Amino acid sequence: MTFKKPLILLFSLFLSSEVIANSNDMEFSIYQPCDGNGSICSPYIFASGLITSDTPNKFNEFLKKNEKDLHSPIIYFNSNGGSLKGGIELARIIRGKDLDTMPFKVNFCPAVG
């Protein structure tokens, strides 16, 4: 019966990851670093959250809604992964639009006091 605890732990992790995936689906936003026309002032796309099967649709909608503000932006990802199928489809969209990607992680430092 030594296998019971690891199986219960694995099952619990699976269930908790499903809950997290549903509450932290990937969202997209635009960041404009400055005013101007230099390449450093080009807007960025931030993609944050877990990739789901619906993420490619959300990304397409985001691009259509913001197409006038975006000119070959870099997409910064802050994600712990998610749906393989959704990720592959998202990659196809990004490649088809010839966009660049970069990883982005926010280090959280709680206030001392």
Side-chain angles (χ1 to χ4, degrees):
M1 295 296 186
T2 58
F3 291 108
K4 216 175 208 181
K5 285 185 182 178
L7 287 176
I8 292 171
L9 176 62
L10 247 132
F11 185 68
S12 299
L13 288 173
F14 174 76
L15 288 179
S16 65
S17 69
E18 288 297 311
V19 170
I20 290 170
N22 290 334
S23 63
N24 295 318
D25 292 354
M26 184 162 282
E27 294 182 4
F28 301 97
S29 60
I30 298 175
Y31 172 70
Q32 181 70 40
C34 58
D35 292 327
N37 59 5
S39 64
I40 196 167
C41 291
S42 295
Y44 305 122
I45 296 175
F46 283 110
S48 185
L50 294 176
I51 297 170
T52 67
S53 59
D54 195 38
T55 299
N57 293 332
K58 288 182 181 179
F59 185 61
N60 270 329
E61 289 172 15
F62 174 82
L63 289 177
K64 286 177 187 173
K65 180 180 173 187
N66 297 289
E67 65 185 337
K68 64 180 173 140
D69 299 324
L70 301 172
H71 307 286
S72 298
I74 297 173
I75 306 168
Y76 287 90
F77 282 94
N78 181 21
S79 177
N80 288 327
S83 166
L84 177 62
K85 183 179 177 185
I88 291 171
E89 184 60 31
L90 181 61
R92 287 183 179 143
I93 294 167
I94 291 169
R95 184 181 301 144
K97 298 200 178 287
D98 199 28
L99 301 174
D100 292 321
T101 62
M102 295 287 293
F104 181 83
K105 283 286 185 186
V106 177
N107 293 328
F108 179 74
C109 181
V112 178

